[in-house]
């Protein structure tokens, strides 16, 4: 028994909670209790891919958790060293495969910054529209999978209806449903086909209705509230210490959105808010996803009003892109946090070294801290709300 | 009519009739289970904007049968480190009581397949408790951590909800003055109202406790797919897995029958034949369970326990006391 108490103390479980965590059996000298190692994953249905979590539990209390990653490692960063800048774009599609447009943009943006390229107006607007639609699609999937983790099956199938419409629109503009390869350095590959912008315009009110529906159906659900309120809570200080970004940071009440704080592209032309949470718990993280979808719709609406009717969609770009010698970094607000590409160039047409700041990977680092001392029943609720995509974590 | 229910069971024709009766009830049970599974997939599919099974047979009507055939011809895998005897025995222990409880459910006014047991309600509660052993043993014998946690959760949950479930029946039993399910139906017909009206609180407690007892959403923790992978039956394949599934759906049917009998007047009702009334009431319950499954997230395990002991049990006791006092004063 003493040993357990020591372990719990070492792990920083508050003294008033100690009683709660101690097993009654420990007081009985005739009963032998032991810690159990539970292997969650890599084929567990709720790890959102091939993610493995080694959990050490005593009774129902998690003593320690160790994430094991790398099952989906494809060496994107290394492969990029042998690829011309344009050739890297399809590889970024496969990082966070739920938000490929944003990945495309993050790479192109970094190279464009390095080259000092001028992007045609229409291309900028098209980029913003597809990026915000992509953010909505990604957030939708978060809501679906999170509710699926919590045992509700229907939201998962509902969100695919809206996501399908977005994916269909992407299919029309670039011919792919998941790995778009749509952006190019200096613009986008294809102009919007006739009627495409009207389709997006028709989608906005539909999506607003659906967001309201999700709010009605999920947000007030007593069981859902009981499972997420106050669970997986942390404060701004911890979040900053771990370098969290995106919703994982904003849920603590810290308004940090790169679209606002370090405006890139044409985001300074739009009006939108940065929704922030108050408690930094799983519920706030869920709710921020809903609110951010609303803001994305606002941006899409404004972009549709402002987009020039015609014009080039690909700027004047040299045939062979050579990034001048030096080091370049730029980050954008991805669907899961700050997504940044860091390029070291020696003046050739291929990067000397490419480093990706992957928001999922950074956000995942907090997980063991969040899990320690928790009841095993909260494991999936906490893991789901961190919102990782393994394609990005493992890259 | 030949009064088989009160004749000695082990003499000549009676014995034959008993065997035939049992086989018929088994066939009804299996048929109901097959199409309950089909209906569940179809109904939940519609609720979720999908089509549901539609490939095997017209409207997918043969889908469940195809699934059963698949399960039957699958290899019967026993994990190497499993406790072999218990592993093989557990599905049987779980299944047998689920079929035995059907013996006391009165399907219609007069039919020879219902044992006219004087302690019918008690018999149901007592037998259904045996299933927990099968579930727990299955989880234990699999020698798998997820299965073990699932089995233990299952046992804890079913035991906790058995208490309010049992107590919620007592109100009805007090009003009817009998444990015999046939008598309870007749008492309702005599009194002119279904017991759902005077026993509304008891009915609510029963409905919640029954949902938990059946391990249905939002109380489907024992087989929480997203947490425990599949729960206690994670290591089972083929027909042993089918046994666990069969158990669950038979209980769904039986619990619906119990609810219809105790609270909704069983086979009584105007115009339609008795068995049809019974079927309508049972399937209303089953549909309600589908509906819940398409709507609710899963409750957390500690909240589940405190809900049973701190909310349901006091309500069941309150219902019992009020019923007893009213009965004493009114009679």
């Amino acid at each position: 028994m003493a040993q357990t108490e020591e372990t719990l103390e070492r792990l920083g479980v508050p003294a008033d909670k100690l009683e709660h965590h101690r097993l009654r059996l420990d007081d009985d000298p005739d009963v032998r209790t032991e810690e159990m190692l539970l292997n969650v994953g890599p084929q567990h249905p709720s790890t959102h891919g091939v993610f493995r979590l080694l959990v050490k539990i005593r009774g129902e209390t998690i003593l320690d958790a160790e994430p094991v990653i790398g099952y989906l490692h494809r060496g994107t960063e290394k492969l990029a060293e042998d690829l011309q800048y344009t050739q890297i774009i399809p590889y970024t599609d496969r990082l966070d495969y739920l938000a490929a447009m944003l990945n495309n943009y993050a790479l192109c943006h970094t190279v464009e910054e390095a080259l000092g390229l001028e992007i045609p107006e229409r291309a900028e607007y098209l980029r913003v529209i597809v990026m915000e639609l992509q953010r909505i699609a990604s957030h939708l999937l978060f809501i679906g999978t999170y509710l699926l983790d919590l045992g509700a099956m229907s939201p998962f199938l509902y969100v695919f209806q809206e996501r399908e419409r977005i994916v269909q629109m992407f299919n029309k503009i670039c011919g792919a449903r998941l790995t778009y390869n749509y952006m190019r350095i200096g613009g986008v590959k294809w102009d919007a086909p006739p009627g495409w912008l009207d389709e997006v315009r028709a989608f906005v009110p539909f999506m607003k209705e659906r967001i309201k529906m999700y709010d009605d159906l999920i947000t007030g659900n007593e069981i859902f509230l009981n499972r997420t309120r106050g669970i997986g809570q942390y404060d701004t200080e911890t979040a900053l210490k771990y370098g969290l970004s995106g919703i994982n940071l904003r849920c603590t009440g810290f308004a940090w959105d790169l679209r606002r704080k370090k405006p890139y592209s044409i985001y300074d032309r739009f009006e939108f808010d940065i929704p922030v949470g108050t408690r930094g718990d799983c519920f706030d993280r869920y709710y921020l996803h809903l609110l951010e979808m609303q803001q994305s719709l606002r941006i899409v609406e404004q972009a549709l009003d402002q987009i020039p009717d015609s014009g080039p969609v690909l700027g004047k770009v040299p045939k062979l892109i050579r990034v001048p010698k030096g080091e370049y970094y730029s980050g954008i607000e991805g669907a899961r946090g700050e997504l940044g590409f860091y390029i070291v160039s020696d003046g050739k047409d291929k990067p000397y070294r490419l480093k990706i700041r992957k928001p999922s990977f950074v956000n995942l680092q907090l997980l063991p801290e969040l899990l320690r001392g928790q009841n095993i029943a909260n494991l999936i609720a906490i893991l789901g709300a961190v919102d990782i995509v393994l394609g990005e974590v493992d890259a | 009519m030949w009064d088989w229910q009160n004749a000695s069971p082990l003499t000549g024709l009676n014995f034959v009739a008993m065997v035939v009766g049992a086989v018929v009830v088994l066939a009804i049970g299996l048929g109901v289970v097959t199409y309950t599974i089909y209906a569940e997939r179809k109904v939940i599919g519609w609720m979720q904007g999908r089509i549901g099974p539609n490939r095997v047979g017209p409207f997918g009507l043969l889908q469940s049968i195809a699934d059963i055939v698949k399960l039957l011809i699958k290899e019967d895998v026993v994990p190497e480190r499993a406790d072999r005897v218990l592993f093989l025995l557990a599905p049987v222990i779980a299944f047998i009581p689920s079929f035995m409880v059907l013996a006391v459910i009165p399907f219609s006014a007069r039919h020879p397949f219902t044992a006219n047991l004087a302690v019918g309600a008690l018999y149901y509660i007592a037998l259904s408790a045996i299933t927990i052993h099968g579930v727990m043993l299955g989880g234990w014998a699999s020698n798998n951590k997820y299965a073990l946690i699932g089995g233990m959760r299952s046992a804890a949950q079913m035991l906790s909800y058995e208490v309010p479930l049992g107590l919620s029946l007592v109100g009805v039993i007090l009003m009817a003055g009998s444990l015999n399910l046939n008598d309870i139906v007749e008492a309702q017909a005599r009194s002119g109202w279904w017991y759902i009206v005077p026993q509304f609180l008891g009915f609510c407690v029963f409905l919640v406790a029954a949902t938990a007892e059946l391990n249905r959403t939002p109380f489907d923790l024992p087989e929480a797919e997203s947490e425990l992978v599949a729960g206690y039956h994670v290591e089972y394949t083929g027909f042993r897995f089918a046994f666990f599934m069969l158990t669950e759906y038979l209980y769904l049917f039986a619990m619906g029958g119990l609810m219809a009998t105790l609270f909704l007047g069983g086979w009584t009702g105007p115009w339609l034949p008795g068995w049809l009334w019974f079927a309508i009431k049972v399937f209303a319950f089953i549909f309600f369970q589908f509906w819940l499954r398409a709507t609710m997230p899963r409750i957390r395990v500690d909240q589940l326990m405190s809900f049973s002991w701190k909310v349901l049990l006091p309500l069941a006791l309150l219902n019992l006391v009020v019923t007893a006092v009213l009965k004493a004063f009114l009679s």
Side-chain angles (χ1 to χ4, degrees):
Chain A
M1 181 189 111
Q3 195 193 350
T4 324
E5 232 156 74
E6 253 168 47
T7 327
L8 288 169
E9 258 163 35
R10 187 166 50 79
L11 294 170
V13 175
D16 53 321
K17 281 195 181 164
L18 222 65
E19 185 59 36
H20 173 74
H21 287 294
R22 192 194 299 150
L23 281 174
R24 290 285 145 72
L25 289 176
D26 287 356
D27 298 333
D28 189 341
D30 296 332
V31 177
R32 186 174 62 93
T33 64
E34 52 185 61
E35 289 162 2
M36 180 159 98
L37 267 183
L38 188 67
N39 222 338
V40 183
Q43 284 128 341
H44 191 280
S46 289
T47 51
H48 300 264
V50 275
F51 173 64
R52 181 169 150 220
L53 194 62
L54 256 175
V55 198
K56 191 193 276 180
I57 50 177
R58 183 179 188 85
E60 293 252 315
T61 309
I62 299 173
L63 294 181
D64 204 359
E66 188 191 338
V68 183
I69 60 169
Y71 291 92
L72 203 58
H73 180 61
R74 293 147 300 179
T76 311
E77 290 174 1
K78 185 70 190 165
L79 286 169
E81 291 170 16
D82 280 327
L83 296 167
Q84 292 176 355
Y85 288 100
T86 322
Q87 290 175 321
I88 304 171
I89 299 170
Y91 284 79
T92 64
D93 281 338
R94 279 121 183 119
L95 292 174
D96 178 354
Y97 38 74
L98 299 179
M101 286 290 187
L102 293 154
N103 302 342
N104 278 188
Y105 180 76
L107 174 71
C108 293
H109 181 57
T110 313
V111 178
E112 284 157 8
E113 292 242 301
L115 293 172
L117 281 180
E118 190 77 19
I119 316 297
E121 280 280 288
R122 191 170 163 85
E124 286 279 30
Y125 279 103
L126 281 176
R127 280 178 167 189
V128 166
I129 293 171
V130 292
M131 280 199 290
E132 293 310 315
L133 287 178
Q134 180 75 88
R135 197 185 307 278
I136 294 170
S138 170
H139 283 5
L140 274 175
L141 211 65
F142 165 83
I143 289 170
T145 50
Y146 191 50
L147 267 291
L148 188 68
D149 287 347
L150 296 181
M153 200 173 140
S154 300
F156 183 67
L157 292 143
Y158 275 45
V159 295
F160 268 90
Q161 295 170 0
E162 291 95 70
R163 189 171 179 275
E164 182 62 22
R165 275 185 72 160
I166 296 175
V167 166
Q168 292 283 357
M169 289 192 280
F170 285 165
N171 195 10
K172 280 181 188 163
I173 204 169
C174 68
R177 290 169 52 92
L178 193 70
T179 49
Y180 309 109
N181 191 15
Y182 177 57
M183 312 246 179
R184 288 292 177 275
I185 292 154
V188 294
K189 175 67 181 159
W190 313 97
D191 198 354
W196 191 81
L197 291 172
D198 296 328
E199 206 177 313
V200 178
R201 202 182 287 279
F203 173 76
V204 174
F206 164 74
M207 189 63 217
K208 278 185 178 160
E209 278 294 302
R210 300 289 286 202
I211 292 175
K212 205 175 155 296
M213 183 190 84
Y214 289 125
D215 198 21
D216 287 345
L217 286 180
I218 302 168
T219 310
N221 186 304
E222 198 67 32
I223 297 175
F224 177 71
L225 284 175
N226 271 329
R227 292 208 55 185
T228 52
R229 264 271 175 246
I231 305 297
Q233 212 164 4
Y234 53 85
D235 54 7
T236 313
E237 201 190 331
T238 319
L240 290 174
K241 214 163 67 189
Y242 275 86
L244 303 190
S245 52
I247 286 177
N248 283 301
L249 174 60
R250 288 194 287 275
C251 71
T252 62
F254 191 80
W256 181 260
D257 189 321
L258 288 176
R259 288 176 294 179
R260 255 296 139 69
K261 300 292 172 188
K262 279 158 88 181
Y264 52 92
S265 187
I266 47 168
Y267 275 108
D268 49 350
R269 297 183 199 173
F270 304 119
E271 263 181 42
F272 62 96
D273 304 323
I274 310 173
V276 291
T278 47
R279 309 190 192 188
D281 56 7
C282 290
F283 177 81
D284 278 357
R285 293 198 273 285
Y286 149 78
Y287 202 53
L288 285 186
H289 279 88
L290 266 191
L291 296 178
E292 286 203 356
M293 285 200 284
Q294 278 174 337
Q295 299 304 324
S296 291
L297 284 176
R298 273 178 76 187
I299 297 174
V300 171
E301 253 179 341
Q302 293 169 52
L304 285 170
D305 290 339
Q306 295 173 15
I307 186 168
D309 286 333
S310 59
V313 290
L314 195 57
K316 289 199 183 357
V317 185
K319 268 252 146 54
L320 195 59
I321 295 163
R322 289 180 205 277
V323 173
K325 196 167 160 58
E327 298 181 11
Y328 308 93
Y329 174 83
S330 75
I332 67 157
E333 186 65 34
R336 286 169 182 76
E338 178 177 348
L339 172 65
F341 278 74
Y342 179 73
I343 296 173
V344 181
S345 174
D346 51 2
K348 298 211 182 87
D349 57 342
K350 293 164 186 165
Y352 174 75
R353 170 85 170 91
L354 179 74
K355 168 85 177 84
I356 310 165
R357 189 211 186 267
K358 303 161 284 186
S360 288
F361 176 77
V362 179
N363 294 346
L364 184 61
Q365 309 309 317
L366 184 62
L367 188 65
E369 171 108 334
L370 284 183
L371 288 178
R372 261 175 228 140
Q374 286 280 354
N375 192 300
I376 185 101
N378 288 331
L379 173 96
I380 295 299
I382 292 173
L383 173 64
V386 173
D387 192 16
I388 50 168
V389 168
L390 266 295
E392 189 173 76
V393 172
D394 293 343
Chain B
M1 200 175 153
W2 172 43
D3 185 16
W4 91 292
Q5 285 173 338
N6 295 320
S8 169
L10 292 177
T11 50
L13 260 180
N14 279 344
F15 185 74
V16 177
M18 241 168 137
V19 172
V20 171
V23 170
V24 170
V25 173
L26 180 64
I28 292 174
L30 291 180
V32 166
V33 167
T34 309
Y35 282 94
T36 304
I37 292 175
Y38 169 76
E40 168 156 33
R41 295 176 62 180
K42 214 63 180 166
V43 167
I44 290 182
W46 287 331
M47 285 178 178
Q48 294 170 340
R50 298 184 284 122
I51 301 169
N54 67 344
R55 292 282 138 182
V56 191
F59 309 108
L61 276 169
L62 302 178
Q63 180 67 52
S64 299
I65 293 166
D67 288 342
I68 292 167
V69 170
K70 185 202 78 170
L71 285 174
L72 286 180
I73 59 177
K74 267 184 119 171
E75 186 188 351
D76 179 24
V77 181
V78 181
E80 202 180 84
R81 308 276 298 273
D83 188 329
R84 201 181 159 81
V85 177
L86 287 182
F87 186 83
L88 299 182
L89 202 62
V92 183
I93 296 177
F95 169 71
I96 290 177
S98 75
F99 176 55
M100 284 170 74
V101 295
L102 291 180
V104 289
I105 307 282
F107 295 112
S108 66
R110 290 200 70 78
H111 81 103
F113 308 135
T114 300
N116 200 8
L117 213 58
V119 288
L122 193 62
Y123 169 89
Y124 185 104
I125 296 294
L127 273 183
S128 72
I130 295 177
T131 296
I132 302 171
H133 297 84
V135 166
M136 205 164 75
L137 285 178
W140 168 259
S142 300
N143 197 9
N144 174 312
K145 289 167 186 172
Y146 287 111
L148 179 63
I149 295 177
M152 291 300 159
R153 273 189 182 185
S154 235
Q157 173 180 339
M158 288 161 110
L159 283 174
S160 317
Y161 279 86
E162 202 114 279
V163 181
L165 184 77
L167 281 176
S168 69
L169 305 186
V170 179
V172 170
I173 292 162
L174 274 180
M175 287 193 73
S178 169
L179 278 164
N180 185 322
L181 295 181
N182 283 332
D183 290 353
I184 291 175
V185 173
E186 272 156 20
Q188 289 180 73
R190 267 201 312 279
S191 68
W193 55 9
W194 292 348
Y195 283 158
I196 184 173
V197 183
Q199 284 290 319
F200 189 69
L201 184 58
F203 173 73
C204 294
V205 173
F206 176 87
L207 201 57
V208 176
T211 310
E213 188 71 13
L214 293 168
N215 296 336
R216 303 277 311 181
T217 314
F219 306 104
D220 57 341
L221 284 123
E223 43 209 283
E225 161 110 8
S226 50
E227 289 164 35
L228 295 174
V229 191
Y232 59 87
H233 53 53
V234 67
E235 292 287 356
Y236 283 90
T237 52
F239 68 94
R240 290 184 202 284
F241 168 74
F243 263 114
F244 277 123
M245 287 300 280
L246 192 60
T247 308
E248 249 165 55
Y249 281 90
L250 269 181
Y251 268 125
L252 185 62
F253 175 57
M255 197 61 94
L258 189 66
M259 188 201 71
T261 307
L262 293 176
F263 293 100
L264 299 178
W267 36 261
T268 57
W271 307 305
L272 299 173
W275 62 268
L276 192 56
W277 268 115
F278 182 80
I280 289 171
K281 289 162 186 172
V282 171
F283 284 106
F285 173 80
I286 293 177
F287 178 80
F288 177 71
Q289 296 295 338
F290 296 165
W291 192 8
L292 271 185
R293 181 165 164 210
T295 313
M296 293 286 186
R298 187 179 303 120
I299 200 166
R300 208 174 67 206
V301 63
D302 50 329
Q303 293 162 350
L304 176 100
M305 289 299 163
S306 58
F307 182 69
S308 168
W309 294 106
K310 291 181 185 166
V311 179
L312 276 189
L313 190 61
L315 281 180
L317 284 171
L318 176 73
N319 177 59
L320 177 59
V321 170
V322 170
T323 311
V325 169
L326 282 182
K327 188 177 161 85
F329 274 101
L330 293 179
S331 58

